[in-house]
Amino acid sequence: MIRAWIRAHFYDRAMRTAEDRCLAGWRRELVGDLSGHVLEIGSGTGLNLSHYPSTVTRLVLSEPDPFMRRQLETKVADRAGNSVQVVDCVAEKLEFPDASFDTVVSTLVLCSVRDPQQVLAEIRRVLRPGGVLAYFEHVAADNPSTLRWQQLVEPAWKFLAGNCHLTRHTHESIQAAGLDPVRTEHVAMIPAPQLVRRVVKGLARRVPEDAGRAPRRAGF
Ligand SMILES: C[S@@+](CC[C@H](N)C(=O)[O-])C[C@H]1O[C@@H](n2cnc3c(N)ncnc32)[C@H](O)[C@@H]1O
């Protein structure tokens, strides 16, 4: 409880330098051209919010952590323009009908969810056929020595950083969930520590069922 409060309270301050150096630009690039109905999972304190354009006609921000959600609600209340709905739900169980969104946004969330495969199945379910997952996520290092450090530190890191895993292979998991990459890029989150520096960002499309692409299980 106290750890969750501290994380939420200091999140924006802790992220500020990385926001200035790279994250704010990635956020703008990721959501700045979206339109239609958009769901963001694990919205945190709402650092993507200011980048959504008015062409997004329905914006739902979901966040299960009450301390994060309080800050999110404050940012939403301060924002003029198109209406935004904040909901309390985990991404493993999204409270929306099938095919109800054009885009799902996930930034720095799939590292922390309890069950990434279930989350990706839910994302796929709520996307309309042809809809897109827009994401950036930190992932396992490709350098063996950094990866060994990540494996070593991961248990303590998860405890302190809200279940944040350091060694997930999120890009592969997205593909395994039946979402086809239309754009993928590996980039460095600077000046974050090496342990969380490697980021995958991109877009992955929900293939229509009749295109014959079924989800398969992936190891995380
Ligand atoms: C590192 S923060 C990222 C916040 C925000 N997306 C951003 O880009 O700054 C991770 C967020 O994922 C949320 N989260 C953790 N587990 C989750 C789950 N199972 N479903 C949805 N969100 C979750 C946390 O509460 C937290 O707000």
Side-chain angles (χ1 to χ4, degrees):
M1 193 72 152
I2 186 79
R3 274 179 285 139
W5 183 89
I6 291 170
R7 267 196 309 275
H9 197 72
F10 291 102
Y11 187 77
D12 285 6
R13 262 171 277 185
M15 299 298 278
R16 192 163 297 150
T17 313
E19 291 292 333
D20 291 345
R21 294 278 297 275
C22 59
L23 291 178
W26 296 350
R27 294 180 194 283
R28 199 175 315 115
E29 178 196 349
L30 199 70
V31 309
D33 290 329
L34 296 183
S35 58
H37 292 197
V38 176
L39 168 68
E40 185 181 319
I41 61 164
S43 298
T45 61
L47 290 174
N48 289 324
L49 183 61
S50 62
H51 301 292
Y52 285 102
S54 57
T55 44
V56 173
T57 50
R58 180 187 182 206
L59 178 58
V60 180
L61 305 179
S62 69
E63 172 52 53
D65 179 303
F67 303 109
M68 289 283 193
R69 206 169 51 248
R70 197 168 305 156
Q71 303 203 35
L72 179 62
E73 281 163 345
T74 305
K75 284 203 184 84
V76 167
D78 290 345
R79 175 187 150 112
N82 49 2
S83 72
V84 181
Q85 187 187 353
V86 175
V87 298
D88 169 11
C89 79
V90 290
E92 284 84 353
K93 196 170 184 331
L94 296 172
E95 301 159 354
F96 305 100
D98 296 357
S100 43
F101 292 97
D102 300 294
T103 308
V104 174
V105 173
S106 174
T107 58
L108 307 175
V109 178
L110 293 172
C111 55
S112 300
V113 299
R114 188 179 35 77
D115 185 344
Q117 284 171 303
Q118 176 62 25
V119 169
L120 287 164
E122 277 292 88
I123 289 173
R124 188 174 188 280
R125 181 185 67 75
V126 301
L127 276 175
R128 65 166 174 76
V132 162
L133 167 64
Y135 66 95
F136 63 77
E137 299 287 345
H138 70 81
V139 292
D142 52 356
N143 165 325
S145 121
T146 309
L147 182 60
R148 269 196 301 280
W149 275 107
Q150 287 179 320
Q151 288 162 340
L152 199 68
V153 171
E154 190 165 63
W157 188 277
K158 281 194 298 189
F159 177 76
L160 293 170
N163 199 41
C164 174
H165 291 64
L166 298 171
T167 58
R168 283 186 169 165
H169 296 276
T170 300
H171 174 58
E172 291 77 355
S173 306
I174 287 171
Q175 286 180 273
L179 295 161
D180 264 15
V182 283
R183 199 174 77 203
T184 312
E185 206 182 345
H186 282 94
V187 287
M189 178 159 59
I190 295 185
Q194 278 291 348
L195 294 174
V196 291
R197 191 167 285 183
R198 185 166 187 250
V199 166
V200 61
K201 70 184 170 84
L203 305 175
R205 192 178 300 283
R206 176 184 165 175
V207 182
E209 312 300 342
D210 57 11
R213 181 86 160 66
R216 59 187 164 77
R217 303 281 298 171
F220 282 87

